[in-house]
């Protein structure tokens, strides 16, 4: 599950947020070319939610 959030790491590129099956909330650093760079865990305990808005 992905949701567009904005520029979370302030590099001028959009950074979508995702949740994995373990319930970790992840920031996926956008590279500005339609792909992603590094991923950083920004939260836990999200396995109980069906959607992220």
């Amino acid at each position: 599950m992905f949701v567009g959030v904005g520029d979370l790491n302030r590099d001028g590129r959009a950074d979508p947020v995702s949740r994995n099956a373990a319930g970790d909330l992840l920031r996926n650093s956008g590279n500005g070319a339609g792909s992603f760079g590094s991923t950083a865990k920004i939260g836990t305990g999200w396995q109980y939610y069906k959607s992220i808005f």
Side-chain angles (χ1 to χ4, degrees), residues 1-23:
M1 169 184 317
F2 281 91
V3 65
V5 175
D7 184 12
L8 297 176
N9 61 0
R10 299 178 190 252
D11 65 355
R13 299 177 179 128
D15 302 315
V17 171
S18 63
R19 184 196 69 202
N20 64 19

Side-chain angles (χ1 to χ4, degrees), residues 18-29:
S18 63
R19 184 196 69 202
N20 64 19
D24 298 327
L25 196 63
L26 307 168
R27 182 198 74 225
N28 301 277
S29 298

